[in-house]
Amino acid sequence: MKRLCLLVIGSNFLDKPGLHKFLTGNNAVIPDWWHYLDTCYILQTALTLAQLQDQLVRQFPNQQFLLQEINPKRSAGWLPREAWNWLARYTGWSVAP
């Protein structure tokens, strides 16, 4: 099952360029991603949170992050139109908020 996961990285995450390359170059595991906020990614993936956590911990040991599955029926915020359009592709929204 494809899901959307929110990844929030700690302000002390040391290898932000390496993380970006890992997430955006891993098309078999993360076919699409969103990165409109500096410390947040939204990842479209078939992995469970535990599987994704295992990959991140292996690749980036001792780095702080939070993973959470997104419930698209309970989302709100103030983002650029492009961000809402991206989210609409995966949430089933007929019109982005």
Side-chain angles (χ1 to χ4, degrees), residues 34-86:
W34 174 102
H35 184 57
Y36 283 89
L37 302 171
D38 186 49
T39 59
C40 296
Y41 286 83
I42 297 178
L43 311 171
Q44 191 260 339
T45 183
L47 295 180
T48 66
L49 292 179
Q51 291 169 326
L52 190 52
Q53 173 187 306
D54 289 346
Q55 287 198 14
L56 287 166
V57 168
R58 245 189 334 265
Q59 188 73 25
F60 304 99
N62 303 313
Q63 299 297 301
Q64 295 180 346
F65 64 88
L66 169 71
L67 279 173
Q68 185 169 9
E69 191 166 343
I70 293 175
N71 179 344
K73 294 183 179 6
R74 296 183 181 255
S75 297
W78 191 263
L79 298 168
R81 171 63 62 191
E82 300 83 28
W84 291 113
N85 290 341
W86 187 93

Side-chain angles (χ1 to χ4, degrees), residues 11 20 23 31 33 40 48 58 61 79 94:
S11 59
H20 187 79
L23 297 174
W33 52 274
C40 296
T48 66
R58 245 189 334 265
L79 298 168
S94 57

